[in-house]
Amino acid sequence: MPLEAIAINSLDAPLIKKPARDNELAERLQALYDADDNQPSGTEVLNIIEQGFKRGQYLYVGMFNDKPIAAVGCFDDGQTDAKRLQYLTVHPQNRDRAIDAKFIKLVYDKEVKKGVRQFVPVDSDIHQIMSEYELLQVKN
């Protein structure tokens, strides 16, 4: 099964086909962020994400073999047509394998299909990926 980016607006979204327990998705996402020294704690990030859900924001989850292996917040400030990407994390076993770049490209493609023309990467890793692949602004 290839990596796919799925936008969710609830931490109890049914992404895992046969969850072993209630709240498994939220637990796995929290563990992803807790394992990433470049991000705040999983609890902090998920609280920010949940507040964003109330304002129509999304969390893109990178799913591979029915497990979340990546995530990034996709925020809209409501003032421009740009999307702010923040809180990128990748499962420790998948780091340094270009999964982060592939995942950001998948998110970019989905947002462009929705009409987004400009992106504001907040994290330095996201900015580097988007700059390198020329994904900061959609070319006409």
Short mmCIF file of all heavy atoms in Angstrom, two decimals, residues 96-125:
data_model
loop_
_atom_site.label_atom_id
_atom_site.label_comp_id
_atom_site.label_asym_id
_atom_site.label_seq_id
_atom_site.Cartn_x
_atom_site.Cartn_y
_atom_site.Cartn_z
N ASP A 96 14.82 10.26 7.39
CA ASP A 96 15.98 10.16 6.49
C ASP A 96 15.74 9.21 5.32
O ASP A 96 16.67 8.64 4.77
CB ASP A 96 17.25 9.74 7.26
CG ASP A 96 17.59 10.73 8.35
OD1 ASP A 96 17.43 11.96 8.11
OD2 ASP A 96 18.02 10.31 9.44
N ARG A 97 14.48 9.05 4.95
CA ARG A 97 14.13 8.21 3.80
C ARG A 97 13.28 8.99 2.80
O ARG A 97 12.61 8.42 1.97
CB ARG A 97 13.37 6.97 4.27
CG ARG A 97 14.23 6.05 5.13
CD ARG A 97 13.47 4.88 5.68
NE ARG A 97 12.86 4.09 4.63
CZ ARG A 97 11.88 3.23 4.83
NH1 ARG A 97 11.39 3.05 6.05
NH2 ARG A 97 11.37 2.55 3.84
N ALA A 98 13.27 10.32 2.92
CA ALA A 98 12.53 11.24 2.05
C ALA A 98 11.02 11.07 2.15
O ALA A 98 10.29 11.54 1.29
CB ALA A 98 13.00 11.11 0.60
N ILE A 99 10.54 10.41 3.19
CA ILE A 99 9.10 10.29 3.41
C ILE A 99 8.51 11.67 3.66
O ILE A 99 7.41 11.98 3.18
CB ILE A 99 8.80 9.35 4.61
CG1 ILE A 99 9.28 7.93 4.33
CG2 ILE A 99 7.31 9.38 4.97
CD1 ILE A 99 8.58 7.20 3.21
N ASP A 100 9.25 12.52 4.38
CA ASP A 100 8.74 13.86 4.66
C ASP A 100 8.48 14.65 3.38
O ASP A 100 7.44 15.28 3.22
CB ASP A 100 9.66 14.63 5.60
CG ASP A 100 11.11 14.68 5.15
OD1 ASP A 100 11.46 14.03 4.14
OD2 ASP A 100 11.90 15.37 5.82
N ALA A 101 9.39 14.57 2.44
CA ALA A 101 9.22 15.29 1.17
C ALA A 101 8.06 14.72 0.36
O ALA A 101 7.25 15.46 -0.19
CB ALA A 101 10.51 15.23 0.35
N LYS A 102 7.98 13.40 0.30
CA LYS A 102 6.88 12.77 -0.44
C LYS A 102 5.54 13.15 0.19
O LYS A 102 4.58 13.46 -0.51
CB LYS A 102 7.06 11.25 -0.46
CG LYS A 102 5.96 10.56 -1.21
CD LYS A 102 6.21 9.07 -1.34
CE LYS A 102 5.01 8.45 -2.00
NZ LYS A 102 5.29 7.67 -3.14
N PHE A 103 5.48 13.12 1.51
CA PHE A 103 4.26 13.46 2.22
C PHE A 103 3.85 14.91 1.98
O PHE A 103 2.69 15.19 1.68
CB PHE A 103 4.45 13.18 3.72
CG PHE A 103 3.26 13.50 4.56
CD1 PHE A 103 2.03 12.90 4.34
CD2 PHE A 103 3.36 14.41 5.60
CE1 PHE A 103 0.93 13.19 5.13
CE2 PHE A 103 2.27 14.72 6.39
CZ PHE A 103 1.06 14.11 6.16
N ILE A 104 4.80 15.85 2.08
CA ILE A 104 4.50 17.26 1.82
C ILE A 104 4.00 17.44 0.39
O ILE A 104 3.06 18.20 0.14
CB ILE A 104 5.72 18.16 2.12
CG1 ILE A 104 5.99 18.20 3.62
CG2 ILE A 104 5.54 19.55 1.55
CD1 ILE A 104 4.89 18.84 4.45
N LYS A 105 4.58 16.74 -0.56
CA LYS A 105 4.14 16.82 -1.96
C LYS A 105 2.70 16.32 -2.09
O LYS A 105 1.88 16.91 -2.82
CB LYS A 105 5.09 16.03 -2.87
CG LYS A 105 4.64 15.98 -4.33
CD LYS A 105 4.74 17.32 -5.04
CE LYS A 105 4.62 17.17 -6.53
NZ LYS A 105 3.36 17.60 -7.10
N LEU A 106 2.35 15.24 -1.40
CA LEU A 106 0.98 14.73 -1.43
C LEU A 106 0.00 15.76 -0.85
O LEU A 106 -1.08 15.99 -1.41
CB LEU A 106 0.88 13.41 -0.65
CG LEU A 106 1.56 12.20 -1.25
CD1 LEU A 106 1.58 11.04 -0.25
CD2 LEU A 106 0.87 11.77 -2.54
N VAL A 107 0.38 16.39 0.26
CA VAL A 107 -0.45 17.42 0.87
C VAL A 107 -0.60 18.60 -0.09
O VAL A 107 -1.71 19.10 -0.31
CB VAL A 107 0.13 17.87 2.23
CG1 VAL A 107 -0.59 19.10 2.76
CG2 VAL A 107 0.09 16.73 3.24
N TYR A 108 0.50 19.03 -0.66
CA TYR A 108 0.50 20.12 -1.63
C TYR A 108 -0.48 19.81 -2.77
O TYR A 108 -1.32 20.65 -3.11
CB TYR A 108 1.93 20.30 -2.17
CG TYR A 108 2.06 21.21 -3.36
CD1 TYR A 108 2.27 22.58 -3.18
CD2 TYR A 108 2.00 20.73 -4.66
CE1 TYR A 108 2.43 23.43 -4.26
CE2 TYR A 108 2.14 21.57 -5.75
CZ TYR A 108 2.35 22.91 -5.55
OH TYR A 108 2.48 23.74 -6.63
N ASP A 109 -0.37 18.63 -3.35
CA ASP A 109 -1.25 18.26 -4.47
C ASP A 109 -2.72 18.30 -4.08
O ASP A 109 -3.56 18.81 -4.83
CB ASP A 109 -0.90 16.86 -5.00
CG ASP A 109 0.44 16.83 -5.73
OD1 ASP A 109 0.97 17.90 -6.11
OD2 ASP A 109 0.96 15.70 -5.93
N LYS A 110 -3.04 17.82 -2.89
CA LYS A 110 -4.45 17.83 -2.45
C LYS A 110 -4.96 19.25 -2.24
O LYS A 110 -6.08 19.57 -2.61
CB LYS A 110 -4.61 17.00 -1.18
CG LYS A 110 -4.45 15.53 -1.45
CD LYS A 110 -5.03 14.70 -0.35
CE LYS A 110 -4.93 13.26 -0.79
NZ LYS A 110 -6.13 12.52 -0.57
N GLU A 111 -4.12 20.10 -1.66
CA GLU A 111 -4.54 21.48 -1.42
C GLU A 111 -4.65 22.27 -2.72
O GLU A 111 -5.54 23.10 -2.87
CB GLU A 111 -3.60 22.16 -0.43
CG GLU A 111 -3.77 21.66 1.00
CD GLU A 111 -5.14 21.96 1.57
OE1 GLU A 111 -5.62 23.10 1.46
OE2 GLU A 111 -5.77 21.02 2.12
N VAL A 112 -3.76 22.03 -3.67
CA VAL A 112 -3.83 22.70 -4.97
C VAL A 112 -5.13 22.32 -5.68
O VAL A 112 -5.79 23.18 -6.29
CB VAL A 112 -2.58 22.39 -5.83
CG1 VAL A 112 -2.79 22.80 -7.28
CG2 VAL A 112 -1.37 23.08 -5.25
N LYS A 113 -5.53 21.06 -5.56
CA LYS A 113 -6.80 20.63 -6.17
C LYS A 113 -7.99 21.37 -5.56
O LYS A 113 -9.01 21.56 -6.21
CB LYS A 113 -6.99 19.12 -6.01
CG LYS A 113 -6.17 18.33 -6.98
CD LYS A 113 -6.43 16.85 -6.84
CE LYS A 113 -5.52 16.07 -7.77
NZ LYS A 113 -5.62 14.63 -7.58
N LYS A 114 -7.86 21.80 -4.31
CA LYS A 114 -8.91 22.57 -3.64
C LYS A 114 -8.86 24.05 -4.00
O LYS A 114 -9.71 24.82 -3.58
CB LYS A 114 -8.76 22.45 -2.11
CG LYS A 114 -9.02 21.08 -1.56
CD LYS A 114 -8.81 21.14 -0.05
CE LYS A 114 -8.92 19.81 0.61
NZ LYS A 114 -8.66 19.90 2.06
N GLY A 115 -7.81 24.46 -4.74
CA GLY A 115 -7.72 25.84 -5.18
C GLY A 115 -6.67 26.68 -4.46
O GLY A 115 -6.55 27.87 -4.73
N VAL A 116 -5.93 26.09 -3.55
CA VAL A 116 -4.88 26.83 -2.84
C VAL A 116 -3.77 27.18 -3.83
O VAL A 116 -3.36 26.35 -4.64
CB VAL A 116 -4.33 26.01 -1.64
CG1 VAL A 116 -3.17 26.74 -0.98
CG2 VAL A 116 -5.44 25.74 -0.65
N ARG A 117 -3.29 28.41 -3.78
CA ARG A 117 -2.26 28.87 -4.71
C ARG A 117 -0.95 29.22 -4.03
O ARG A 117 0.06 29.44 -4.67
CB ARG A 117 -2.72 30.11 -5.49
CG ARG A 117 -4.01 30.01 -6.27
CD ARG A 117 -4.37 28.74 -6.85
NE ARG A 117 -3.97 28.40 -8.19
CZ ARG A 117 -4.01 27.14 -8.64
NH1 ARG A 117 -4.35 26.16 -7.87
NH2 ARG A 117 -3.68 26.86 -9.87
N GLN A 118 -0.95 29.33 -2.70
CA GLN A 118 0.26 29.74 -2.00
C GLN A 118 0.33 29.04 -0.65
O GLN A 118 -0.70 28.81 0.00
CB GLN A 118 0.26 31.25 -1.80
CG GLN A 118 1.54 31.80 -1.27
CD GLN A 118 1.53 33.32 -1.28
OE1 GLN A 118 0.56 33.95 -1.67
NE2 GLN A 118 2.63 33.90 -0.85
N PHE A 119 1.56 28.73 -0.23
CA PHE A 119 1.77 28.03 1.03
C PHE A 119 2.76 28.79 1.89
O PHE A 119 3.69 29.41 1.38
CB PHE A 119 2.30 26.61 0.77
CG PHE A 119 1.31 25.76 0.04
CD1 PHE A 119 1.23 25.79 -1.34
CD2 PHE A 119 0.43 24.95 0.74
CE1 PHE A 119 0.30 25.02 -2.02
CE2 PHE A 119 -0.50 24.18 0.07
CZ PHE A 119 -0.57 24.21 -1.30
N VAL A 120 2.55 28.72 3.18
CA VAL A 120 3.45 29.34 4.14
C VAL A 120 3.95 28.23 5.06
O VAL A 120 3.23 27.82 5.99
CB VAL A 120 2.73 30.44 4.96
CG1 VAL A 120 3.67 31.06 5.98
CG2 VAL A 120 2.13 31.48 4.05
N PRO A 121 5.14 27.72 4.80
CA PRO A 121 5.69 26.68 5.68
C PRO A 121 6.29 27.31 6.92
O PRO A 121 7.18 28.16 6.82
CB PRO A 121 6.75 26.02 4.81
CG PRO A 121 7.15 27.06 3.84
CD PRO A 121 5.97 27.97 3.64
N VAL A 122 5.80 26.94 8.09
CA VAL A 122 6.26 27.55 9.33
C VAL A 122 7.54 26.87 9.82
O VAL A 122 8.48 27.53 10.23
CB VAL A 122 5.16 27.50 10.40
CG1 VAL A 122 5.65 28.05 11.72
CG2 VAL A 122 3.94 28.27 9.92
N ASP A 123 7.57 25.55 9.78
CA ASP A 123 8.74 24.81 10.26
C ASP A 123 9.86 24.88 9.23
O ASP A 123 9.62 24.87 8.02
CB ASP A 123 8.38 23.34 10.49
CG ASP A 123 7.26 23.16 11.51
OD1 ASP A 123 6.99 24.10 12.28
OD2 ASP A 123 6.66 22.07 11.53
N SER A 124 11.09 24.92 9.70
CA SER A 124 12.24 25.01 8.79
C SER A 124 12.34 23.79 7.88
O SER A 124 12.71 23.92 6.71
CB SER A 124 13.54 25.22 9.57
OG SER A 124 13.78 24.13 10.43
N ASP A 125 12.00 22.61 8.39
CA ASP A 125 12.05 21.40 7.55
C ASP A 125 11.05 21.50 6.40
O ASP A 125 11.37 21.15 5.27
CB ASP A 125 11.76 20.14 8.37
CG ASP A 125 12.87 19.80 9.34
OD1 ASP A 125 14.00 20.32 9.17
OD2 ASP A 125 12.62 19.03 10.28
#
